[in-house]
Amino acid sequence: MRTLFVFLLGILPFALFAQNTQTIKGTVLDKQSLQPLPGVQIEIVGSEPKKGSVTDLDGKFRITDLAPGRYDVRISFPGYIEQTRNNVVLTSGKEEVLEIQLEESVTDIGEVVINANKNNDMNNELTTVSGRSFSMEEVNRYAGGRSDPARLASNFAGVSSPDDSRNDIVIRGNSPIGVLWRIEGMNIPNPNHFSTIGTTGGPVSAINTNLLRNSDFMTSAFPSEYGNANAGVFDLGLRNGNSDKREHTIQFGVLTGLEFNTEGPINKEKGSSYLIGYRYGFSSVAQTIGLPIGTAATPYYQDLSFKVNTGTTKIGKFTFFGIGALSSIDFLHKEIDTNDLFADPTRDSYFTSQIGLFGIKHNIRVNDKSYFNTVIGVNYAGSNYLQDSINASDEAVRTIENKTGRLNYSLNTSYNSKISARLFIKAGIIAELMNIDLYYRNREDQPFWVQLWDTKEQTVLLQGYVHSKYSFSDKLTMNLGVHSQYLALNNSLSVEPRFGLKYQVGKKSSLNLGYGMHSQMQALDSYFLQSLDANGNAQLLNKNMDFTRSHHLVLAYDWTPLKDWRFKSEIYYQYLNNVPVDRFSSSYSMLNAGASFYPNNRTDLVNDGTGQNYGVELTIEKFFSKGFYGLITGSLYEAKYTGSDGIERNTAFNGRYVYNVLIGKEVKVGKAKRNALTLDVKFTHAGGRFYTPVDLVSSQLFQQQILKGDEYAFTEKYADFMRLDVKVGFTLNAKKRKISQSWFFDVNNVTNRKNIFAERYNPVTNSINTAYQIGFFPNFVYRLQF
């Protein structure tokens, strides 16, 4: 900390006495070939006097002497579809860098005028339906978001996350395990603190949102380059550091902790730069002042993220990136109460987790129309869970030892070619070498240890794809592709067609159709669950489980009646088959995996189960303009499954409905209107999930929680989840110095509603207790940029 303090003292004087205007700069590329476009007109809409720029031979531009505020930036170039970047936020403490990609017109651009405002358009142009991009500004703007991309996504239609304790998201009734996370082109298992193997969520995100660039989120029928996912895709990217000047951010939040980010040039002539961010969690601060975080235990976590861009070299562009995260928490029986979300009053438990990833991205041109993009990397995820049972003499006896580690080496390479203005082709392969180390033994209810995992294994998942985008005209576009994947562990193989069709009905609306077959391997740990044969020998009866498969069909209508308004509706149907279920007649299905914190403990599973999800979604959005924005999303859906007993039931994730209402207002204050006062409000109402009730008599007899039998599986429903969040903020842009300061007071669950977390048996009270989620919680954030 002393070194950091000395460093800040050294750089602050240079920031304090700089000029008080700022710059919008960036690069303009052809969307398909990624070739720089010189001579592109860049204009600040409505500026008086007119402000703008023209891109140079490298496609770069700069617009200087801009006061802090929000701007609309228009980009135009003959033969290309005109584009407008709305709501570009500029503060006195940081330059704004835009990465713009223009799409070439198939026909004479004068013949077809298309609404090309870049409000949440996908970065991945091969997406036809069920996709949306989001920005760093959105992640940090919405109330109740906790600077978490997953919690941001829960505001979108078709997505539900009625759990304050974790950021698992339910997409169209699917298990959170069906979500694919990708960072800078590298697939990763779980980018969250306190994560465990076989899950995709956690209490706190390890992704530093201040380092993110605009990223994509998909909920169905995604393009053929994405595989091994049945529910949805997060395709995230880290932004490049400023290649012209050094900039810094210091931030403190009650939940996110202390954060320091720095960026700047390495070699200005080559355009190389660095970007580094470090965070240290301070949840103990919230506990000290009496704020509930879901447990009396104190969580500790920290993470480091970085990206180094080498700029243009003779052998292409190289990027180095990485994330490292550590977290730990101890649950002690003397320090909890009956409402603790995670702990048990008869046990002490100790949990640690580690995340690490490092990647190298290489982009090299073949010619003016084609290029290769390659990402090689390694990522690790490990956890250690130890549990002691407390006997009548208040003595601790070790009863569970669970240690897991997963080390992946990955290669993702693609060939991209713009054959013509009409035809674009992308083909690639993804190879993942997965090393897994599992050790789990339990003697919780017996005197001798029972070994559930004791495995060190290695396997390979290979994926290949080809995708083409063909524009019949500026009004009609078709996406066609195929994805295939192969798991060497048990020779599972799938071939998956993907199809999308977009028709521009008029200047302001489009009709979209999408279909995709998707396959996903089971959680890696479930393949290696041990059981004993008649002779007491360990056997792996789950090792031959096949992929779970899902067919997605989506019809969408998108209408932009006014510049700042958007209406979008989607109808979808998903049929899932090849789902692992018990070999004998039962209600169990792997489609419910991820509904609890416990790993799968079922062996001898067979791929005979099915499921179906269907629903309708509506989005009404007023994009940020004239100091105001609004977002209303709603979903009506059903999520059903059929186990080996042939009975169709509600899944654990079938809430049946969810809607969100978000509104925000920004008021410019001060004589020069350089500062901003903001108010953001969010209300969420989601249907309660179905669950299997506790068998109280059996639980009391055996002094541990036992659920009722198959006839009661997912027959009861929790009360609806409702939460109101309010966020107030103030941004101060210095008049004579390049410094901006922001204060945010984000109050979660303003009404202190008691949303149910779980109904569970408590051996201390010998009854069923209701554990509630986090109540009223004020979160404070301070940010300094210079």
Side-chain angles (χ1 to χ4, degrees):
M1 290 298 294
R2 180 179 179 183
T3 303
L4 175 61
F5 179 71
V6 172
F7 174 70
L8 293 178
L9 286 180
I11 60 178
L12 271 173
F14 295 97
L16 294 181
F17 299 104
Q19 294 180 359
N20 61 346
T21 59
Q22 267 296 5
T23 299
I24 294 178
K25 63 182 182 179
T27 306
V28 182
L29 307 175
D30 180 281
K31 188 167 188 174
Q32 295 176 334
S33 69
L34 298 187
Q35 186 76 357
L37 295 177
V40 178
Q41 295 285 337
I42 315 293
E43 178 188 354
I44 301 296
V45 178
S47 58
E48 289 294 340
K50 184 177 180 181
K51 288 185 177 290
S53 179
V54 178
T55 58
D56 60 18
L57 293 176
D58 296 321
K60 296 182 178 180
F61 70 91
R62 293 177 65 90
I63 306 175
T64 60
D65 299 325
L66 296 172
R70 295 179 183 266
Y71 295 94
D72 293 342
V73 182
R74 181 182 297 128
I75 308 101
S76 58
F77 189 56
Y80 284 75
I81 298 176
E82 183 181 281
Q83 185 183 122
T84 301
R85 286 289 182 97
N86 296 307
N87 194 38
V88 177
V89 180
L90 197 60
T91 67
S92 60
K94 184 166 181 27
E95 293 183 341
E96 184 64 26
V97 182
L98 302 180
E99 298 178 6
I100 299 167
Q101 296 179 5
L102 288 182
E103 183 176 358
E104 187 174 359
S105 175
V106 175
T107 57
D108 183 358
I109 194 64
E111 296 177 6
V112 181
V113 178
I114 298 174
N115 189 310
N117 290 327
K118 291 293 291 183
N119 285 310
N120 307 121
D121 282 356
M122 296 291 292
N123 296 303
N124 191 323
E125 63 170 326
L126 305 181
T127 304
T128 306
V129 295
S130 304
R132 175 188 174 119
S133 71
F134 59 90
S135 66
M136 177 181 69
E137 192 268 340
E138 284 181 292
V139 176
N140 292 320
R141 182 208 310 165
Y142 293 148
R146 302 184 189 174
S147 297
D148 187 334
R151 296 183 193 275
L152 166 74
S154 66
N155 297 314
F156 303 152
V159 184
S160 175
S161 182
D163 187 345
D164 295 330
S165 64
R166 292 174 60 88
N167 62 7
D168 296 282
I169 58 172
V170 175
I171 301 175
R172 294 180 170 175
N174 287 287
S175 165
I177 293 176
V179 176
L180 169 68
W181 286 90
R182 177 178 289 184
I183 296 180
E184 288 291 318
M186 181 193 298
N187 296 342
I188 60 173
N190 189 330
N192 292 284
H193 289 289
F194 306 100
S195 61
T196 57
I197 194 166
T199 65
T200 61
V204 181
S205 175
I207 298 172
N208 189 331
T209 55
N210 286 321
L211 273 61
L212 284 181
R213 60 172 168 82
N214 286 11
S215 301
D216 287 344
F217 175 65
M218 288 157 267
T219 60
S220 198
F222 15 94
S224 61
E225 67 180 276
Y226 303 105
N228 199 31
N230 277 329
V233 175
F234 273 102
D235 192 348
L236 308 179
L238 302 177
R239 61 183 178 85
N240 291 322
N242 195 321
S243 58
D244 293 320
K245 60 176 292 189
R246 304 195 190 284
E247 296 178 326
H248 318 279
T249 299
I250 298 175
Q251 181 171 301
F252 174 79
V254 173
L255 285 175
T256 56
L258 180 64
E259 177 178 336
F260 176 68
N261 306 319
T262 183
E263 61 186 282
I266 298 175
N267 187 315
K268 292 185 179 182
E269 292 182 359
K270 292 183 178 180
S272 58
S273 64
Y274 67 88
L275 175 65
I276 303 173
Y278 172 76
R279 302 187 300 178
Y280 187 89
F282 278 122
S283 294
S284 57
V285 174
Q287 292 175 316
T288 301
I289 60 179
L291 297 178
I293 63 171
T295 179
T298 301
Y300 297 95
Y301 48 92
Q302 57 184 314
D303 53 68
L304 174 72
S305 305
F306 71 90
K307 182 177 182 180
V308 176
N309 172 28
T310 65
T312 303
T313 70
K314 293 182 179 180
I315 55 174
K317 295 181 179 179
F318 288 89
T319 300
F320 303 88
F321 61 92
I323 297 176
L326 300 173
S327 51
S328 65
I329 189 169
D330 296 340
F331 299 102
L332 305 179
H333 72 284
K334 293 182 178 180
E335 299 177 3
I336 65 173
D337 57 35
T338 57
N339 290 321
D340 199 295
L341 301 185
F342 307 101
D344 189 297
T346 64
R347 302 165 182 165
D348 287 343
S349 54
Y350 312 89
F351 180 80
T352 61
S353 69
Q354 312 85 34
I355 300 172
L357 70 90
F358 174 76
I360 303 174
K361 179 186 287 187
H362 180 226
N363 182 287
I364 188 169
R365 305 207 62 81
V366 178
N367 51 48
D368 290 345
K369 299 290 186 179
S370 308
Y371 64 94
F372 279 98
N373 193 65
T374 302
V375 181
I376 59 173
V378 57
N379 66 78
Y380 173 79
S383 65
N384 187 5
Y385 177 79
L386 302 175
Q387 179 180 295
D388 297 336
S389 292
I390 309 302
N391 60 26
S393 302
D394 203 34
E395 297 174 332
V397 178
R398 180 61 45 85
T399 52
I400 291 180
E401 295 178 352
N402 183 359
K403 302 177 182 179
T404 68
R406 175 174 174 171
L407 180 65
N408 284 14
Y409 299 94
S410 64
L411 166 71
N412 183 350
T413 185
S414 64
Y415 173 73
N416 305 261
S417 183
K418 179 181 179 180
I419 306 300
S420 68
R422 295 181 183 273
L423 179 61
F424 173 74
I425 293 178
K426 182 175 186 177
I429 59 172
I430 303 172
E432 294 179 82
L433 173 62
M434 297 178 283
N435 299 274
I436 189 167
D437 186 355
L438 300 173
Y439 184 86
Y440 182 20
R441 63 177 186 167
N442 187 318
R443 60 173 180 178
E444 200 169 7
D445 305 307
Q446 54 200 7
F448 304 105
W449 288 104
V450 175
Q451 197 78 43
L452 299 177
W453 289 329
D454 189 6
T455 301
K456 290 185 178 181
E457 284 276 357
Q458 185 180 85
T459 189
V460 174
L461 178 66
L462 296 176
Q463 302 178 65
Y465 63 90
V466 61
H467 197 117
S468 65
K469 177 183 178 182
Y470 186 80
S471 298
F472 298 93
S473 67
D474 283 333
K475 286 189 173 183
L476 182 62
T477 302
M478 179 180 68
N479 279 296
L480 186 64
V482 62
H483 178 98
S484 182
Q485 64 185 42
Y486 168 77
L487 181 63
L489 179 69
N490 54 22
N491 297 319
S492 294
L493 176 68
S494 68
V495 180
E496 311 157 9
R498 313 283 173 89
F499 172 78
L501 193 66
K502 178 179 180 180
Y503 178 67
Q504 198 76 27
V505 178
K507 297 179 181 180
K508 301 180 179 180
S509 61
S510 66
L511 188 65
N512 300 5
L513 176 68
Y515 165 78
M517 176 181 171
H518 307 276
S519 299
Q520 184 176 17
M521 61 182 290
Q522 311 308 325
L524 195 56
D525 59 292
S526 63
Y527 291 99
F528 303 104
L529 192 66
Q530 292 183 181
S531 60
L532 300 179
D533 62 16
N535 298 320
N537 298 317
Q539 54 185 351
L540 303 178
L541 298 179
N542 285 347
K543 195 170 183 177
N544 291 320
M545 287 189 298
D546 199 358
F547 299 133
T548 294
R549 308 179 194 276
S550 180
H551 297 266
H552 295 187
L553 182 64
V554 184
L555 179 64
Y557 180 70
D558 200 332
W559 179 39
T560 309
L562 300 171
K563 172 188 173 183
D564 304 323
W565 286 86
R566 182 187 191 186
F567 293 77
K568 184 178 182 180
S569 180
E570 292 197 343
I571 301 173
Y572 67 89
Y573 178 78
Q574 300 177 351
Y575 175 73
L576 298 93
N577 65 314
N578 236 34
V579 180
V581 295
D582 282 326
R583 188 178 297 273
F584 56 89
S585 178
S586 84
S587 63
Y588 176 82
S589 171
M590 193 72 89
L591 291 184
N592 295 311
S596 70
F597 297 110
Y598 304 105
N600 170 65
N601 61 356
R602 308 294 276 244
T603 62
D604 199 18
L605 299 176
V606 293
N607 293 91
D608 292 338
T610 61
Q612 59 176 340
N613 306 316
Y614 52 90
V616 58
E617 300 166 0
L618 177 65
T619 298
I620 303 175
E621 186 163 12
K622 161 66 170 64
F623 298 113
F624 205 119
S625 65
K626 299 179 181 178
F628 172 75
Y629 75 89
L631 175 65
I632 299 175
T633 62
S635 305
L636 297 174
Y637 65 97
E638 290 285 348
K640 303 282 189 176
Y641 82 96
T642 302
S644 56
D645 59 5
I647 299 175
E648 186 178 64
R649 297 177 172 87
N650 297 292
T651 73
F653 309 104
N654 187 16
R656 290 186 169 171
Y657 54 86
V658 57
Y659 68 87
N660 301 283
V661 179
L662 295 89
I663 57 173
K665 177 66 177 177
E666 179 181 271
V667 179
K668 295 294 184 181
V669 295
K671 292 182 179 180
K673 304 298 182 182
R674 299 171 57 87
N675 309 317
L677 182 65
T678 58
L679 174 65
D680 302 275
V681 179
K682 172 188 172 182
F683 177 73
T684 296
H685 183 179
R689 297 183 187 177
F690 287 90
Y691 69 101
T692 303
V694 174
D695 185 333
L696 181 59
V697 174
S698 298
S699 298
Q700 291 173 334
L701 179 64
F702 293 98
Q703 284 296 291
Q704 63 175 334
Q705 178 167 292
I706 297 175
L707 302 181
K708 291 186 177 181
D710 289 336
E711 64 270 26
Y712 295 96
F714 302 104
T715 56
E716 295 194 15
K717 193 170 183 286
Y718 290 126
D720 286 0
F721 176 95
M722 287 186 281
R723 201 176 88 177
L724 175 66
D725 302 325
V726 177
K727 181 178 181 180
V728 178
F730 178 69
T731 297
L732 177 66
N733 290 295
K735 296 180 180 180
K736 299 181 179 181
R737 300 169 292 181
K738 286 200 172 181
I739 288 181
S740 66
Q741 300 179 77
S742 298
W743 296 263
F744 301 101
F745 194 62
D746 191 0
V747 183
N748 299 173
N749 198 357
V750 173
T751 62
N752 198 30
R753 176 180 169 83
K754 289 188 174 183
N755 292 302
I756 295 177
F757 177 74
E759 299 275 354
R760 59 192 183 191
Y761 172 71
N762 187 327
V764 175
T765 62
N766 206 28
S767 62
I768 297 175
N769 287 1
T770 301
Y772 294 98
Q773 300 195 46
I774 298 173
F776 176 86
F777 186 90
N779 182 25
F780 173 76
V781 176
Y782 169 74
R783 182 186 304 133
L784 170 67
Q785 293 178 317
F786 56 96

